Amino acid sequence: MKRLYLASGSPRRRELLTQIGVAFCAVSADIDETPLAQESPSAYVERLARGKAEAGRGVVVSDEPFCVLGADTAVVLDGKILGKPVDQADACAMLTMLSGCEHEVLTAIAVLDGGRCESRVVTSRVRFRDISREEAAAYWASGEPRDKAGGYGIQGLGAVFVAGLDGSYSAVVGLPLCETAELLGHFGIPCWQPRNAHQATF
Ligand SMILES: Cc1cn([C@H]2C[C@H](O)[C@@H](COP(=O)(O)OP(=O)(O)OP(=O)(O)O)O2)c(=O)[nH]c1=O
């Protein structure tokens, strides 16, 4: 079995991958996340997930063969990509746009093994209740929106805004676990490994 490296600085992705019993080591892989002109949201997240896997491969030091998993999440409203908020005004503007309507969350995953790379894009639909300006400001003050696409976390305080979800909860948090397990299986990497096997591997 090949070793797996998760190319991510996201604590959520580490927790999610641990949840399904996959043995891995995390490496950070910073890439330029600027969308290209005319790039669709789906093409954008897939390109970034692949780019993160490649960047991760660049920092791994190993004599053994290994695979790298990269992922990217974007919140999309009416075809427009909402990234991470840069400041309070940006975060409040995002929540105002998302208030009372439905948006998409796109998460791409990519697994890289030598010259072979496979990727998937998972789309989920999230419906928000109405959000007041005061609530948006209070939510920003909690610190939660800063590092999250669309300026909210469904797994945290932001759950109070979520009136409905159609799709993959884990994908919204940052890693679609059903699809990730399936894709890793294509590369011979199993999930449900016992924790001691996990620790022995790394
Ligand atoms: C919508 C949503 C996003 N997010 C997070 C998932 C991602 O971590 C982040 C989107 O930014 P990403 O650029 O996908 O990921 P990241 O920069 O956090 O981590 P890395 O690139 O190193 O893997 O937003 C939540 O945690 N909860 C949510 O409900």
Side-chain angles (χ1 to χ4, degrees), residues 7-13 27-30 33 48 52 70-75 84 103 105 147-155 171-175:
S8 176
S10 162
R12 277 86 50 182
R13 296 204 169 107
V27 291
S28 59
D30 284 332
E33 301 203 5
L48 263 53
K52 289 176 186 179
D72 191 75
T73 300
V75 166
K84 297 173 188 169
H103 62 269
V105 179
D147 60 345
K148 299 186 180 67
Y152 75 92
I154 196 171
Q155 73 277 26
V172 177
V173 182
L175 198 67

Side-chain angles (χ1 to χ4, degrees), residues 79-195:
K80 186 176 181 292
I81 297 167
L82 305 184
K84 297 173 188 169
V86 294
D87 55 21
Q88 176 171 0
D90 194 25
C92 292
M94 283 185 194
L95 283 184
T96 302
M97 282 192 276
L98 298 174
S99 170
C101 56
E102 194 173 74
H103 62 269
E104 290 183 329
V105 179
L106 270 60
T107 294
I109 49 171
V111 179
L112 185 64
D113 177 2
R116 176 181 166 214
C117 185
E118 282 189 38
S119 51
R120 297 272 182 288
V121 179
V122 176
T123 301
S124 307
R125 300 191 69 82
V126 177
R127 199 172 67 256
F128 270 16
R129 65 152 167 82
D130 290 339
I131 302 168
S132 70
R133 285 165 144 229
E134 293 73 23
E135 272 181 311
Y139 185 48
W140 172 260
S142 76
E144 188 173 282
R146 281 168 224 274
D147 60 345
K148 299 186 180 67
Y152 75 92
I154 196 171
Q155 73 277 26
L157 302 173
V160 301
F161 303 137
V162 180
L165 164 67
D166 183 7
S168 164
Y169 176 84
S170 56
V172 177
V173 182
L175 198 67
L177 293 179
C178 175
E179 293 79 1
T180 298
E182 190 186 355
L183 199 58
L184 290 174
H186 292 184
F187 291 81
I189 295 170
C191 53
W192 295 359
Q193 293 177 66
R195 207 159 243 295

